[in-house]
Amino acid sequence: MTVPYLDMKAQFNELRAEIMPEILSVLENSQFILGPKVSAFETAFAAFCGTNYAVGVNSGTAALQMALTAADIGPGDEVITTSMTFMATIAAILYVGATPVLVDIAPHSFTMDPSLIEQKITPRTRAIIPVHLYGQMADMQVISQIGQKHNLLIIEDAAQAHGARWQGKEAGSWGAMGCFSFYPGKNLGAFGEAGAVVTSDKNYLERMQCHRDWGQKGKGNHVLAGFNARMDGVQGAVLGVKLRHLERWTNRRRQIAALYNELLKDCASIRLPAEHPDAVHVYHVYSIQHENRDALRAELANRDIATGIHYPVPVHKMPCYKGENFARTSLPDTEKLSATQMSLPICPMMSDDQVVEVSQAIIEISGSD
């Protein structure tokens, strides 16, 4: 049985009858940039995240940059974050001229270790960007307390955490701003590039709305040095439809994760993901660890089972950042995870039979290790 890592064609076919009229409406009315479909999605997504507002932009990277820019974070400022993330988290800090300061992950959760944050705070520190990784949130209660204690802004990188919760509170609603990606493979994915920032602060809302549209307040009135970061109408229409299905898809992801957990619980050579008792994990990625990760992936590929790695190289080890001071940071748990982590297929369209197929293959292969 062939098991794809992600089946976006199946998702589209499931929603075709809902999505196509929405796209056609955008085209017929020539509402290509922003417009009513984007506004409607912003309202619905803010409510979903438990915030007052959402600002639709053209990527998750732009969401991070808009949030930092709205907070006037720039040259001379430091922002504490992690290296076990997609490189956009750190790139956005560099784009605004600020300095990334990296802390290691907690090995049980793969998210920022709160016990390491305070030792990294200096007079230049302005913000903390916790990354909610693989679908599970960082320990936002402790991180928020540290932020309040030191008067630091919290900006959540929630690109992998649509609908995740910590102590019952939604991803994106803990910090001053929460940044999301709607890259097609995300739990809530667009038909191209898109992102959003959620907030309950009207000042941040207005600044981000202005910055994303070339700094305009009204046509031709450029009051800020802004960006071209607007969400297009087609993405707003698609996301508006998909958002209505997200809770159902999340429940299915959690069912698949529970089945993997049960089937693989006695496989001694792999380490399964741990869901924190304060968290609701949305399993953007079902991440396991294996000391012979590459060999296991190769054997699974031979059986037509696709897998992924998130991420094989932590950001501070990327060749493009070789000369940066943060690249010399020692992050042993981050580096260990990058060498052993692999992601099993998980998407709402998977059947139980496919989950069983993947699990049995892993058990058979691991038995010969």
Coordinates of all heavy atoms in Angstrom, one line a residue, residues 190-241:
A190 N -3.6 27.4 2.5 CA -4.2 28.1 1.4 C -3.9 27.4 0.1 O -3.3 26.3 0.1 CB -3.6 29.5 1.4
F191 N -4.3 28.0 -1.0 CA -4.0 27.5 -2.3 C -2.8 28.3 -2.9 O -2.7 28.7 -4.0 CB -5.2 27.6 -3.3 CG -6.2 26.6 -3.1 CD1 -6.1 25.6 -2.1 CD2 -7.3 26.5 -4.0 CE1 -7.1 24.6 -2.0 CE2 -8.3 25.5 -3.9 CZ -8.2 24.6 -2.9
G192 N -1.8 28.5 -2.0 CA -0.6 29.2 -2.3 C 0.0 29.8 -1.0 O -0.2 29.2 0.0
E193 N 0.6 30.9 -1.1 CA 1.2 31.5 0.1 C 0.2 32.4 0.8 O -0.5 33.2 0.1 CB 2.5 32.3 -0.3 CG 3.6 31.5 -0.9 CD 4.4 30.8 0.1 OE1 4.1 30.9 1.3 OE2 5.5 30.3 -0.3
A194 N 0.2 32.4 2.1 CA -0.7 33.3 2.9 C -0.3 33.2 4.4 O 0.3 32.2 4.8 CB -2.2 33.0 2.7
G195 N -0.7 34.2 5.1 CA -0.4 34.2 6.6 C -1.3 35.2 7.3 O -2.1 35.8 6.6
A196 N -1.2 35.2 8.6 CA -2.0 36.2 9.3 C -1.4 36.5 10.7 O -0.6 35.6 11.2 CB -3.5 35.7 9.5
V197 N -1.7 37.6 11.2 CA -1.3 38.0 12.6 C -2.6 38.2 13.3 O -3.5 39.0 12.8 CB -0.4 39.2 12.7 CG1 0.1 39.5 14.1 CG2 0.8 39.2 11.7
V198 N -2.7 37.6 14.5 CA -3.9 37.9 15.3 C -3.5 38.7 16.5 O -2.3 38.6 17.0 CB -4.6 36.6 15.8 CG1 -5.2 35.8 14.6 CG2 -3.7 35.7 16.6
T199 N -4.3 39.6 17.0 CA -4.0 40.4 18.2 C -5.4 41.0 18.7 O -6.4 40.9 18.1 CB -3.2 41.6 17.7 OG1 -2.8 42.4 18.9 CG2 -3.9 42.5 16.7
S200 N -5.3 41.4 20.0 CA -6.5 42.1 20.6 C -6.1 43.6 20.8 O -6.9 44.3 21.4 CB -6.9 41.4 21.9 OG -7.5 40.2 21.6
D201 N -5.0 44.0 20.3 CA -4.5 45.4 20.5 C -4.9 46.2 19.2 O -4.3 45.9 18.1 CB -3.0 45.4 20.8 CG -2.5 46.8 21.1 OD1 -2.7 47.7 20.3 OD2 -1.9 46.9 22.2
K202 N -5.7 47.2 19.3 CA -6.2 47.9 18.1 C -5.0 48.7 17.5 O -5.0 48.9 16.3 CB -7.3 48.9 18.5 CG -8.0 49.5 17.3 CD -9.3 50.2 17.6 CE -10.0 50.8 16.4 NZ -11.2 51.5 16.7
N203 N -4.1 49.2 18.3 CA -2.9 50.0 17.8 C -2.1 49.1 16.9 O -1.7 49.5 15.8 CB -2.1 50.5 18.9 CG -0.9 51.3 18.4 OD1 -1.0 52.2 17.7 ND2 0.3 50.8 18.9
Y204 N -1.8 47.8 17.4 CA -1.1 46.9 16.5 C -1.9 46.6 15.2 O -1.3 46.5 14.1 CB -0.8 45.6 17.3 CG 0.3 45.8 18.4 CD1 0.2 45.1 19.6 CD2 1.4 46.6 18.2 CE1 1.1 45.2 20.6 CE2 2.3 46.8 19.2 CZ 2.2 46.1 20.4 OH 3.2 46.2 21.3
L205 N -3.2 46.4 15.4 CA -4.0 46.1 14.2 C -3.8 47.2 13.2 O -3.5 46.9 12.0 CB -5.5 46.0 14.6 CG -6.5 46.1 13.5 CD1 -6.5 44.8 12.8 CD2 -7.9 46.5 14.0
E206 N -4.0 48.5 13.6 CA -3.9 49.6 12.6 C -2.6 49.7 12.0 O -2.4 50.0 10.8 CB -4.4 50.8 13.3 CG -5.9 50.8 13.7 CD -6.3 52.0 14.5 OE1 -5.4 52.8 14.9 OE2 -7.5 52.2 14.7
R207 N -1.5 49.5 12.8 CA -0.2 49.6 12.2 C 0.1 48.5 11.2 O 0.7 48.7 10.2 CB 0.9 49.6 13.4 CG 0.9 50.8 14.2 CD 1.9 50.7 15.3 NE 3.3 50.6 14.9 CZ 4.1 51.6 14.5 NH1 3.6 52.8 14.5 NH2 5.3 51.4 14.1
M208 N -0.3 47.3 11.5 CA -0.1 46.2 10.6 C -0.9 46.3 9.3 O -0.4 46.0 8.2 CB -0.4 44.8 11.3 CG 0.7 44.4 12.3 SD 0.5 42.8 13.0 CE -1.0 43.0 14.0
Q209 N -2.2 46.8 9.4 CA -3.0 47.0 8.3 C -2.3 48.1 7.4 O -2.4 47.9 6.1 CB -4.4 47.5 8.7 CG -5.3 46.4 9.2 CD -6.6 46.9 9.7 OE1 -6.7 48.1 10.2 NE2 -7.6 46.1 9.7
C210 N -1.7 49.0 7.9 CA -1.0 50.1 7.2 C 0.3 49.5 6.6 O 0.6 49.7 5.4 CB -0.7 51.3 8.1 SG 0.0 52.7 7.3
H211 N 1.1 48.8 7.4 CA 2.4 48.3 6.9 C 2.2 47.3 5.8 O 3.0 47.3 4.8 CB 3.1 47.7 8.1 CG 3.9 48.6 8.9 ND1 4.9 49.4 8.4 CD2 3.8 48.9 10.2 CE1 5.5 50.1 9.4 NE2 4.8 49.9 10.5
R212 N 1.2 46.5 5.8 CA 1.1 45.4 4.8 C 0.7 46.0 3.4 O 0.9 45.4 2.4 CB 0.0 44.4 5.2 CG -1.4 44.9 5.1 CD -2.5 43.9 5.3 NE -3.8 44.5 5.4 CZ -4.9 43.8 5.6 NH1 -4.9 42.5 5.9 NH2 -6.1 44.4 5.7
D213 N 0.2 47.2 3.4 CA -0.3 47.9 2.2 C 0.5 49.1 1.8 O 0.0 50.2 1.6 CB -1.8 48.2 2.4 CG -2.4 48.7 1.0 OD1 -1.9 48.4 0.0 OD2 -3.5 49.3 1.1
W214 N 1.8 48.9 1.8 CA 2.8 49.9 1.4 C 2.7 51.2 2.3 O 3.0 52.3 1.9 CB 2.6 50.4 -0.1 CG 3.1 49.4 -1.1 CD1 2.3 48.6 -1.9 CD2 4.4 49.0 -1.3 NE1 3.1 47.8 -2.7 CE2 4.4 48.0 -2.3 CE3 5.6 49.4 -0.7 CZ2 5.6 47.4 -2.8 CZ3 6.8 48.8 -1.2 CH2 6.7 47.8 -2.2
G215 N 2.3 50.9 3.6 CA 2.2 52.0 4.5 C 1.2 53.1 4.2 O 1.3 54.2 4.7
Q216 N 0.1 52.6 3.5 CA -0.9 53.6 3.1 C -2.0 53.7 4.1 O -2.4 52.7 4.7 CB -1.6 53.1 1.8 CG -0.7 53.1 0.6 CD -1.5 52.8 -0.7 OE1 -1.9 53.7 -1.4 NE2 -1.6 51.5 -0.9
K217 N -2.5 54.9 4.3 CA -3.8 55.2 5.0 C -4.6 55.9 4.0 O -4.6 57.2 3.9 CB -3.6 56.0 6.3 CG -3.1 55.2 7.4 CD -3.3 55.9 8.7 CE -2.9 55.1 9.9 NZ -3.1 55.8 11.2
G218 N -5.4 55.2 3.2 CA -6.1 55.8 2.1 C -5.2 55.7 0.8 O -4.0 55.7 0.9
K219 N -5.8 55.7 -0.3 CA -5.1 55.5 -1.6 C -4.1 56.6 -1.8 O -4.4 57.8 -1.8 CB -6.2 55.6 -2.7 CG -5.6 55.3 -4.1 CD -5.3 53.8 -4.3 CE -4.9 53.5 -5.7 NZ -4.5 52.1 -5.9
G220 N -2.9 56.2 -2.0 CA -1.8 57.2 -2.3 C -1.3 58.0 -1.1 O -0.4 58.8 -1.2
N221 N -1.8 57.7 0.1 CA -1.4 58.5 1.3 C -0.4 57.6 2.1 O -0.8 56.9 3.0 CB -2.6 58.9 2.1 CG -2.2 59.7 3.4 OD1 -1.2 60.4 3.4 ND2 -3.0 59.6 4.4
H222 N 0.8 57.6 1.8 CA 1.8 56.7 2.4 C 2.4 57.3 3.6 O 3.3 58.2 3.5 CB 2.9 56.3 1.4 CG 2.4 55.6 0.2 ND1 2.4 54.2 0.0 CD2 1.8 56.1 -1.0 CE1 1.9 53.9 -1.1 NE2 1.5 55.0 -1.8
V223 N 1.9 56.9 4.8 CA 2.3 57.6 6.0 C 3.4 56.8 6.7 O 4.1 57.3 7.6 CB 1.1 57.7 7.0 CG1 0.1 58.6 6.3 CG2 0.5 56.4 7.3
L224 N 3.7 55.5 6.3 CA 4.8 54.7 6.8 C 5.6 54.1 5.7 O 5.0 54.0 4.6 CB 4.2 53.6 7.7 CG 3.4 54.0 9.0 CD1 2.8 52.7 9.6 CD2 4.4 54.6 10.0
A225 N 6.8 53.7 6.0 CA 7.6 53.0 5.0 C 7.2 51.5 5.1 O 7.7 50.8 5.8 CB 9.1 53.2 5.3
G226 N 6.2 51.2 4.3 CA 5.5 49.9 4.5 C 6.1 48.8 3.5 O 7.1 48.9 2.9
F227 N 5.2 47.8 3.3 CA 5.6 46.6 2.5 C 4.4 46.2 1.6 O 3.3 46.6 1.8 CB 5.9 45.4 3.5 CG 6.9 45.7 4.5 CD1 6.5 46.3 5.8 CD2 8.3 45.5 4.4 CE1 7.4 46.6 6.8 CE2 9.2 45.8 5.4 CZ 8.7 46.3 6.6
N228 N 4.7 45.4 0.7 CA 3.7 44.7 -0.1 C 3.4 43.4 0.5 O 4.1 42.4 0.1 CB 4.1 44.6 -1.6 CG 3.0 44.0 -2.4 OD1 1.9 43.7 -2.0 ND2 3.3 43.7 -3.7
A229 N 2.5 43.2 1.4 CA 2.3 42.0 2.2 C 0.9 41.6 2.3 O 0.4 41.0 3.2 CB 3.0 42.1 3.6
R230 N 0.1 42.1 1.3 CA -1.4 41.9 1.3 C -1.8 40.4 1.0 O -1.2 39.8 0.1 CB -2.1 42.8 0.4 CG -1.8 44.3 0.7 CD -2.2 45.2 -0.4 NE -1.3 44.9 -1.6 CZ -1.2 45.8 -2.6 NH1 -1.7 47.0 -2.6 NH2 -0.4 45.5 -3.7
M231 N -2.8 39.9 1.7 CA -3.4 38.6 1.3 C -4.2 38.9 0.0 O -5.0 39.9 -0.1 CB -4.2 38.1 2.4 CG -4.9 36.7 2.1 SD -5.9 36.1 3.4 CE -4.7 35.5 4.6
D232 N -4.2 37.9 -0.9 CA -5.0 38.0 -2.1 C -6.4 37.4 -1.8 O -6.6 36.6 -1.0 CB -4.4 37.5 -3.3 CG -4.3 36.0 -3.3 OD1 -5.3 35.3 -3.4 OD2 -3.1 35.4 -3.3
G233 N -7.4 37.8 -2.7 CA -8.8 37.5 -2.5 C -9.0 36.0 -2.6 O -9.9 35.5 -1.9
V234 N -8.3 35.3 -3.5 CA -8.6 33.9 -3.7 C -8.2 33.1 -2.4 O -8.9 32.2 -1.9 CB -7.8 33.3 -4.9 CG1 -7.7 31.8 -4.9 CG2 -8.4 33.9 -6.2
Q235 N -7.1 33.5 -1.8 CA -6.6 32.9 -0.5 C -7.6 33.1 0.6 O -7.9 32.2 1.4 CB -5.2 33.3 -0.1 CG -4.2 33.2 -1.2 CD -4.2 31.8 -1.9 OE1 -4.6 30.8 -1.3 NE2 -3.7 31.8 -3.1
G236 N -8.2 34.3 0.7 CA -9.2 34.6 1.7 C -10.4 33.8 1.5 O -11.0 33.2 2.5
A237 N -10.8 33.6 0.2 CA -12.0 32.7 0.0 C -11.7 31.3 0.3 O -12.6 30.6 1.0 CB -12.3 32.9 -1.5
V238 N -10.6 30.7 -0.1 CA -10.2 29.3 0.2 C -10.1 29.1 1.7 O -10.7 28.1 2.3 CB -8.9 29.0 -0.5 CG1 -8.4 27.6 0.0 CG2 -9.1 28.9 -2.0
L239 N -9.5 30.0 2.4 CA -9.3 29.8 3.8 C -10.6 30.0 4.6 O -10.8 29.3 5.6 CB -8.2 30.9 4.3 CG -6.8 30.6 3.9 CD1 -5.9 31.8 4.1 CD2 -6.2 29.4 4.6
G240 N -11.5 30.8 4.1 CA -12.8 30.9 4.7 C -13.6 29.6 4.7 O -14.2 29.3 5.7
V241 N -13.5 28.9 3.6 CA -14.1 27.6 3.5 C -13.4 26.6 4.4 O -14.1 25.9 5.2 CB -14.1 27.1 2.0 CG1 -14.6 25.7 2.0 CG2 -15.0 28.0 1.2

